[in-house]
């Protein structure tokens, strides 16, 4: 591999995710350049390219894919476009960075995997939190035994229903229209949370899921409950509700020596680390009169601050570039296979909803 090679990117789509999360990283990462963009609305692409001062606008997706100087294509379109566009990238024998969710269904994702296996090129998935300093720090804390042996993970994620979700169907946000997103908030957005659990404590090897639609406001899930166990023996429970009185954002990981707690949606918030203090004798629990624990052990709480990249996808883009350049030890932690593990769970949610509606 040529570690001195510059990796050149093409981008399909030019929406908010390109602007705020991943797009600029394609030319800010070391050893990386932006070749250009194709977007269905050319004017949008022209404005974005002008604002970045990098790259060019392609007249068609076919022109972009035919450019021999492009090494990897970032597919940054809604999920209903992913299968056809990813298959086109594979047919062009280029690497791909594919937005999540991978596709509208697990079957479509399997088609994409087969295409890249045949092409012999890589397909990475934009579960970019695996590349963020915040979660790499957290992963290191867990691996170093900062909270002892990890026993469990609990997620609670709620939000209020929005006025836009109450609009006539064709005017509703695309994320709650399954023909565009594949499902609703759990399938389209909070797959990120499942992927983070997979990264931090290992894949869920056994799990049970329940889902329902309580409001009837859109076709798919607005309440989801998930429980399971990871391949490392960590118990997991999660509850998501997208139509309640306020937003609750709680991600808790606990072990036999402490816990880490943080809000998932605030990337700048510190990690709250609570650990036992004192000698082993003082940490031993004693049963109370009515059972339970008579007195808790002394604890120490500290806030772990981490750096925050301007563009959340920067770390993962750098990983991809380094891997493709052959930098020793470099690799992207978000692969098609890892993303498909989370998709299998979120697609099971959609299958339950479809069965209820049949």
């Amino acid at each position: 591999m040529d570690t001195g090679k510059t990796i050149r990117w093409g981008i399909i789509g030019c929406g908010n995710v390109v602007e705020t999360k991943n797009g600029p990283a394609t030319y800010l990462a070391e050893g990386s350049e932006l070749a250009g963009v194709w977007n269905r609305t050319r004017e949008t692409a022209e404005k974005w390219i002008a604002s970045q001062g990098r790259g060019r606008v392609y007249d068609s997706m076919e022109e972009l894919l035919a450019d021999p100087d492009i090494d990897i294509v970032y597919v940054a379109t809604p999920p209903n476009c992913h299968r056809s566009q990813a298959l086109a990238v594979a047919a062009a024998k280029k690497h791909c960075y594919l937005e999540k969710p991978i596709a509208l269904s697990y079957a479509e994702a399997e088609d994409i995997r087969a295409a890249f296996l045949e092409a012999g090129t890589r397909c990475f998935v934009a579960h970019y939190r695996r590349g963020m300093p915040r979660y790499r720090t957290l992963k290191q804390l867990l691996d170093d035994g900062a909270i002892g042996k990890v026993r469990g993970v609990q997620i609670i994620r709620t939000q209020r229903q929005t006025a836009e979700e109450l609009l006539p169907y064709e005017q509703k946000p695309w994320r709650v229209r399954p023909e565009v997103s594949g499902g609703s908030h759990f399938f389209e957005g909070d797959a990120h949370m499942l992927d983070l659990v997979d990264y931090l404590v290992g894949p869920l090897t056994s799990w049970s899921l329940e889902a329902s639609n309580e409001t009837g406001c859109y076709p798919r899930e607005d309440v989801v409950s998930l429980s399971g166990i990871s391949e490392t023996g960590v118990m997991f429970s999660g509850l998501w509700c997208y139509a309640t009185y306020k937003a609750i954002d709680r991600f808790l990981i606990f072990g036999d020596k402490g816990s880490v707690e943080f809000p998932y949606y605030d990337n700048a918030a510190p990690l709250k680390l609570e650990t036992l203090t004192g000698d082993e004798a003082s940490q031993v629990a004693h049963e109370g009169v009515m059972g339970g624990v008579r007195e808790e052990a002394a604890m120490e709480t500290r806030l772990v601050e981490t750096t925050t990249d301007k563009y959340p996808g920067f770390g993962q883009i750098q990983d991809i570039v380094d891997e493709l350049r052959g930098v020793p030890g470099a690799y992207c932690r978000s692969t098609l296979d890892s993303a498909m593990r989370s998709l299998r769970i979120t697609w099971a949610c959609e299958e339950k909803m479809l069965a209820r509606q049949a």
Side-chain angles (χ1 to χ4, degrees):
M1 301 283 285
D2 181 7
T3 58
K5 173 181 171 61
T6 296
I7 301 301
R8 303 189 78 236
W9 291 75
I11 301 178
I12 296 174
C14 204
N16 180 261
V17 71
V18 173
E19 174 74 27
T20 63
K21 292 179 177 152
N22 294 304
T26 61
Y27 63 80
L28 292 173
E30 183 179 353
S32 184
E33 287 183 0
L34 172 62
V37 175
W38 172 75
N39 190 66
R40 185 179 57 183
T41 305
R42 184 181 177 89
E43 181 183 2
T44 301
E46 288 175 341
K47 287 181 178 178
W48 189 75
I49 285 292
S51 71
Q52 305 303 307
R54 310 291 177 95
R56 54 167 286 204
V57 176
Y58 290 87
D59 290 327
S60 67
M61 182 178 73
E62 291 73 20
E63 182 189 15
L64 183 151
L65 293 176
D67 187 340
D69 291 332
I70 290 179
D71 301 291
I72 182 168
V73 179
Y74 173 28
V75 175
T77 51
N80 62 329
C81 300
H82 287 183
R83 180 184 180 278
S84 62
Q85 292 172 346
L87 293 183
V89 174
K93 304 292 185 180
K94 297 186 185 297
H95 303 294
C96 183
Y97 186 44
L98 182 60
E99 264 304 325
K100 60 87 205 133
I102 301 167
L104 293 180
S105 69
Y106 194 81
E108 287 193 356
E110 289 183 311
D111 291 341
I112 293 170
R113 177 163 58 183
F116 280 96
L117 284 172
E118 182 178 351
T121 52
R122 299 296 307 279
C123 183
F124 309 98
V125 179
H127 284 299
Y128 57 82
R129 282 170 172 80
R130 290 177 180 245
M132 290 172 60
R134 185 188 204 210
Y135 295 114
R136 291 196 178 174
T137 297
L138 175 54
K139 175 68 170 167
Q140 193 64 55
L141 285 170
L142 299 178
D143 290 349
D144 289 346
I147 63 171
K149 179 172 175 53
V150 180
R151 301 292 195 199
V153 178
Q154 183 187 60
I155 292 173
I156 300 178
R157 149 92 163 109
T158 72
Q159 69 181 39
R160 297 174 65 194
Q161 195 163 54
T162 67
E164 290 75 15
E165 291 171 355
L166 299 173
L167 292 171
Y169 186 78
E170 293 301 323
Q171 299 175 40
K172 293 182 189 295
W174 66 267
R175 287 180 174 84
V176 298
R177 289 187 282 134
E179 75 278 9
V180 181
S181 69
S184 179
H185 296 290
F186 182 73
F187 183 85
E188 193 283 322
D190 286 340
H192 268 312
M193 304 180 89
L194 299 183
D195 181 75
L196 187 58
V197 172
D198 185 291
Y199 170 57
L200 293 173
V201 300
L204 295 183
T205 54
S206 175
W207 47 271
S208 176
L209 181 146
E210 294 295 336
S212 67
N213 184 308
E214 298 297 315
T215 65
C217 183
Y218 41 78
R220 300 282 178 85
E221 73 279 357
D222 58 19
V223 180
V224 179
S225 173
L226 174 67
S227 63
I229 185 169
S230 79
E231 68 178 13
T232 59
V234 176
M235 294 292 183
F236 170 80
S237 69
L239 181 62
W240 292 260
C241 181
Y242 304 103
T244 188
Y245 78 109
K246 73 169 187 176
I248 302 172
D249 179 4
R250 184 171 186 252
F251 203 119
L252 173 68
I253 306 171
F254 56 90
D256 60 358
K257 300 293 184 183
S259 67
V260 182
E261 185 174 355
F262 55 92
Y264 173 83
Y265 277 94
D266 182 356
N267 290 326
L271 306 170
K272 181 182 177 183
L273 178 64
E274 183 179 68
T275 54
L276 291 169
T277 61
D279 56 28
E280 290 189 11
S282 68
Q283 296 174 5
V284 174
H286 297 279
E287 188 170 332
V289 175
M290 299 296 291
V293 174
R294 187 188 310 165
E295 183 179 16
E296 292 295 348
M299 303 282 180
E300 176 184 66
T301 301
R302 66 183 177 96
L303 300 180
V304 179
E305 303 280 353
T306 57
T307 59
T308 303
D309 291 327
K310 181 178 180 181
Y311 299 102
F314 176 83
Q316 184 148 285
I317 294 287
Q318 186 67 69
D319 286 344
I320 292 170
V321 169
D322 288 346
E323 179 176 335
L324 295 181
R325 294 174 73 209
V327 174
Y331 68 100
C332 176
R333 292 157 178 80
S334 182
T335 65
L336 191 57
D337 285 342
S338 68
M340 287 183 73
R341 294 195 294 263
S342 295
L343 183 68
R344 186 182 295 278
I345 297 172
T346 56
W347 178 241
C349 175
E350 303 316 310
E351 289 182 312
K352 279 187 175 288
M353 296 306 302
L354 290 168
R356 285 171 178 260
Q357 295 162 9

